[in-house]
Amino acid sequence: MEQFLTKNDKKPPKKAGRKLINLDLEQVENLASRGLGTTQIARALGVSWSTIDRNRKRSADFEEALKRGKAKGLAQVTNSLFTSATDGNVTAQIFYLKNQDPKTWKDRVENVHATINLNDVLSGAKDRLGDSMATINKPKVINAVKSTSTDSGHLVNNQNDIKNDDNKGG
């Protein structure tokens, strides 16, 4: 059964697609400033995540509201942390320093694992010792301790006493 439309029956054609859902940008900014993610914002507003995503892609103002809200929330918490740290809260001070200057204020000690070949180390040490020993004159062995000889009653060098004792046969 076909229906024919007359000139008087013309109605404006319906738009294709879903009904446009407008979200309050101020509310989105407020929720983002409290640290909520896009999924949590969608739940708080009673819409799906895809609606939030569609609005982000479609509207630069919506995306800016999200960014502005996140920046405001971060600024508030940073200011509170800084105030707590400067008021003497040691935990806040430690947290602030670890995040602002992690090179200086870190808990972890980094261990560097190196493989050392001991044969190479020892042969290098021997080479260095051999080079330095070659340039040093060999010291003469002398016993520099003086003592009194019971035979003559005067001070003599012990080396001479030993030689003399050997020559005497005794």
Side-chain angles (χ1 to χ4, degrees):
M1 220 177 168
E2 291 185 31
Q3 284 187 341
F4 295 100
L5 295 176
T6 62
K7 290 184 181 181
N8 294 339
D9 292 340
K10 286 190 179 179
K11 293 182 181 176
K14 290 186 178 182
K15 292 183 181 178
R18 294 181 53 128
K19 179 181 168 186
L20 184 63
I21 299 173
N22 289 320
L23 300 173
D24 182 18
L25 296 180
E26 210 172 290
Q27 192 175 9
V28 169
E29 185 177 326
N30 184 27
L31 292 169
S33 73
R34 296 172 183 257
L36 296 174
T38 52
T39 305
Q40 294 167 322
I41 291 172
R43 286 186 186 148
L45 296 174
V47 296
S48 68
W49 177 84
S50 60
T51 302
I52 297 290
D53 192 47
R54 216 176 305 116
N55 276 295
R56 270 182 33 196
K57 290 176 183 175
R58 181 181 47 194
S59 170
D61 291 338
F62 188 85
E63 182 71 24
E64 282 300 314
L66 282 172
K67 288 180 181 178
R68 234 183 357 260
K70 287 183 182 185
K72 282 181 182 177
L74 183 61
Q76 287 174 343
V77 173
T78 302
N79 290 336
S80 296
L81 173 66
F82 188 77
T83 303
S84 293
T86 55
D87 287 344
N89 184 338
V90 177
T91 306
Q93 291 169 350
I94 292 169
F95 185 80
Y96 182 83
L97 289 171
K98 283 182 184 178
N99 285 287
Q100 293 300 315
D101 190 10
K103 290 180 184 175
T104 306
W105 300 91
K106 61 182 173 183
D107 284 336
R108 275 187 282 170
V109 177
E110 295 179 18
N111 295 326
V112 177
H113 299 286
T115 304
I116 299 174
N117 186 348
L118 289 178
N119 289 331
D120 292 342
V121 172
L122 290 174
S123 64
K126 286 179 186 176
D127 291 343
R128 286 191 304 276
L129 280 175
D131 293 344
S132 65
M133 293 304 283
T135 59
I136 298 175
N137 294 332
K138 299 279 182 188
K140 295 179 183 175
V141 179
I142 25 177
N143 188 353
V145 177
K146 303 286 183 177
S147 66
T148 54
S149 175
T150 53
D151 294 334
S152 62
H154 63 281
L155 289 173
V156 293
N157 190 331
N158 282 342
Q159 292 293 325
N160 291 335
D161 287 345
I162 293 171
K163 288 180 186 176
N164 289 338
D165 287 341
D166 288 341
N167 290 337
K168 291 180 187 176

